[in-house]
């Protein structure tokens, strides 16, 4: 039965070749992403922008979006930016994100010495907020 239906449908198809509709020739404006606007931004301006962003983050989605954007750049965020991000993570009550911020710093720096310098500079903030590193949590 199915064979008859398929064959009758195939035989009933039109034999006239179908043409594609011509694409409309409308001029469109290309808008570049927002990262292009910050391509000539100084490190200080970058740091100030993200400190202000993290100070204003009110929910986890906004915090994680800011972290993704911040860590996507080809530089290591300043300790001030990391401090603001840690405080935002605790403000939205997400301890796991706070620990992952420190993991992100560990991945971004080039040497263990640089990572230790970040940890040393952020130690008062980490103690105030009660944030441990992944290494401190899992010492096996």
């Amino acid at each position: 039965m199915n064979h008859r239906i398929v064959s009758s449908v195939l035989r009933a198809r039109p034999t006239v070749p179908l043409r594609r509709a011509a694409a409309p020739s409308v001029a469109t404006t290309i808008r570049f992403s927002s990262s292009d606007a910050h391509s000539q931004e100084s490190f200080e301006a970058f740091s100030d922008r993200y400190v202000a962003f993290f100070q204003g983050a009110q929910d986890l989605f906004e915090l994680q979006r800011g972290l993704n954007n911040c860590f996507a750049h080809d530089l290591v965020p300043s300790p001030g930016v990391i401090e603001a991000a840690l405080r935002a993570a605790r403000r939205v009550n997400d301890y796991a994100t706070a620990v992952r911020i420190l993991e992100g710093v560990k991945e971004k720096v080039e040497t263990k010495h640089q990572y230790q310098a970040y940890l040393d500079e952020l130690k008062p903030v980490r103690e105030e907020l009660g944030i441990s590193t992944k290494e401190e949590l899992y010492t096996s």
Side-chain angles (χ1 to χ4, degrees):
M1 178 74 179
N2 289 337
H3 178 67
R4 286 188 213 162
I5 294 172
V6 171
S7 64
S8 67
V9 168
L10 290 176
R11 275 184 270 152
R13 71 180 177 182
T15 57
V16 178
L18 299 176
R19 292 188 198 172
R20 291 186 181 200
S25 60
V26 177
T28 59
T29 304
I30 298 173
R31 184 174 182 177
F32 295 102
S33 66
S34 63
S35 63
D36 291 340
H38 303 290
S39 63
Q40 299 300 321
E41 184 177 41
S42 70
F43 183 73
E44 291 77 19
F46 173 86
S47 296
D48 293 343
R49 180 166 58 101
Y50 277 102
V51 166
F53 178 86
F54 289 126
Q55 286 174 347
Q58 295 299 317
D59 61 2
L60 182 60
F61 175 79
E62 192 174 1
L63 170 63
Q64 289 177 341
R65 182 176 60 94
L67 289 169
N68 284 335
N69 292 337
C70 181
F71 279 93
H73 292 274
D74 191 24
L75 53 84
V76 183
S78 69
V81 172
I82 301 302
E83 178 182 345
L86 290 172
R87 290 186 185 281
R90 295 304 279 162
R91 184 174 55 250
V92 299
N93 198 24
D94 191 19
Y95 185 80
T97 298
V99 174
R100 288 186 187 112
I101 291 168
L102 297 173
E103 287 182 71
V105 171
K106 184 177 182 180
E107 291 296 320
K108 290 290 279 188
V109 297
E110 294 178 0
T111 64
K112 290 182 181 181
H113 176 70
Q114 290 173 335
Y115 177 60
Q116 190 58 47
Y118 267 86
L119 292 180
D120 292 342
E121 187 163 343
L122 295 168
K123 186 173 184 169
V125 175
R126 289 178 41 233
E127 288 175 352
E128 175 190 341
L129 301 175
I131 300 170
S132 301
T133 63
K134 182 180 175 182
E135 296 81 18
E136 294 169 345
L137 290 172
Y138 304 105
T139 57
S140 57

